[in-house]
Amino acid sequence: MCDISLLPQITITEFCNCFHTILKFSCVYCCVISEGKPLKDEDVLQLLPVGTTATFYFRDLGAQISWGTVFLSECIGPLVIYLMFYFRVPFIYAPKYDFKTSKHWVVHLACLCHSFHYVKRILETLFVHRFSHGTMPLRNIFKNCSYYWFFAAWMAYYINHPLYTPPYYGEQQVKTALGIFLFCQLGSFSIHVTLRNLKPPGSKIKKIPYPTKNPFTWIFALVSCPNYTYEVRLKDSLLSAERDSPVF
């Protein structure tokens, strides 16, 4: 509950929280009837462009889940799924291959690269990313995770398959692809740090990113979301190193 005497000075978030228990909503937002647009969480009641009285509408947003939890689910799933194929747990390949890893060194390298990528993303989620929105609908976690989990399983199945054969161009192809992979990992990390620095802690300020002195950020002059550019290229390099043509 809230102190009625303080109502003019409280924010919309605090105002909605006053009614959260009473209305028993999972997640609430309110809006002024005159405009019908959701108010910002940081808006103060007495500063709203309304008269002495105003009507607020409350809406139940349903079950919510934090963006951080969604990101962690997207990353932990592929990490575990890939390792299941790498160690060839039962019921994936023929029984005679259970818990027998590949004899090809490039398969072990692929596992290291794949694991490194998702461990890096988990650490970035915990210590680098700053989320503008606190939550998202719970049902969206299945949609968001399905791509990452399915793609990891599809790729891991072929790379760790007992009949897998190394790349056609051999060690040179693997080294070239590995160099691109590491380059893109550095690029992705640089972009995430740059985007993080655009948002002060605890704020929802949105700024347009621009290239910095870091060469990996110069790609901002060409694309608006270069973190995804690096992401696509590093996955291409991993698949190229393994000659994983079915996944392509």
Side-chain angles (χ1 to χ4, degrees):
M1 300 298 292
C2 59
D3 187 348
I4 299 298
S5 63
L6 298 177
L7 277 179
Q9 289 79 35
I10 66 175
T11 64
I12 292 300
T13 297
E14 296 168 332
F15 179 66
C16 289
N17 288 339
C18 290
F19 298 90
H20 183 83
T21 304
I22 300 175
L23 298 176
K24 297 181 180 180
F25 283 173
S26 301
C27 187
V28 175
Y29 80 74
C30 55
C31 61
V32 182
I33 188 174
S34 59
E35 296 183 2
K37 297 180 180 179
L39 298 170
K40 296 180 179 179
D41 293 340
E42 60 272 17
D43 286 344
V44 179
L45 283 183
Q46 66 178 1
L47 300 180
L48 295 178
V50 296
T52 56
T53 61
T55 301
F56 291 89
Y57 284 94
F58 296 89
R59 178 183 175 186
D60 184 3
L61 298 182
Q64 300 284 300
I65 187 171
S66 70
W67 276 87
T69 301
V70 174
F71 271 50
L72 290 175
S73 300
E74 291 175 352
C75 299
I76 294 175
L79 181 62
V80 174
I81 290 172
Y82 192 98
L83 291 176
M84 291 173 61
F85 284 88
Y86 174 74
F87 290 109
R88 295 177 180 172
V89 298
F91 309 111
I92 295 181
Y93 303 112
K96 64 179 180 179
Y97 298 113
D98 290 350
F99 299 110
K100 294 181 180 179
T101 56
S102 174
K103 62 181 179 180
H104 302 294
W105 67 273
V106 68
V107 173
H108 305 303
L109 177 63
C111 182
L112 287 175
C113 290
H114 188 273
S115 299
F116 172 81
H117 172 64
Y118 281 102
V119 168
K120 166 182 167 290
R121 289 194 56 180
I122 291 172
L123 294 176
E124 287 178 341
T125 299
L126 295 174
F127 303 108
V128 177
H129 292 321
R130 288 175 179 162
F131 302 99
S132 298
H133 301 285
T135 63
M136 66 184 296
L138 178 61
R139 63 181 180 275
N140 284 3
I141 191 173
F142 303 103
K143 177 180 64 177
N144 286 40
C145 291
S146 59
Y147 162 75
Y148 290 96
W149 292 22
F150 175 76
F151 185 81
W154 191 19
M155 178 174 63
Y157 175 82
Y158 289 104
I159 294 177
N160 298 285
H161 198 282
L163 300 181
Y164 168 83
T165 55
Y168 181 80
Y169 293 103
E171 187 174 332
Q172 186 60 41
Q173 179 176 340
V174 175
K175 289 182 177 179
T176 302
L178 179 61
I180 297 174
F181 175 83
L182 295 176
F183 176 86
C184 291
Q185 289 288 4
L186 289 173
S188 174
F189 177 75
S190 299
I191 297 301
H192 288 155
V193 171
T194 301
L195 294 175
R196 176 184 185 273
N197 293 335
L198 294 177
K199 298 178 182 178
S203 73
K204 295 185 178 181
I205 297 176
K206 296 181 179 180
K207 298 180 181 179
I208 299 176
Y210 291 98
T212 66
K213 295 180 180 180
N214 184 343
F216 288 103
T217 67
W218 294 351
I219 194 174
F220 269 123
L222 302 176
V223 294
S224 58
C225 298
N227 50 312
Y228 293 110
T229 303
Y230 284 121
E231 183 89 7
V232 172
R233 294 282 74 81
L234 69 87
K235 288 185 177 179
D236 286 346
S237 66
L238 180 60
L239 297 178
S240 176
E242 303 305 316
R243 200 187 67 170
D244 200 358
S245 55
V247 178
F248 275 116

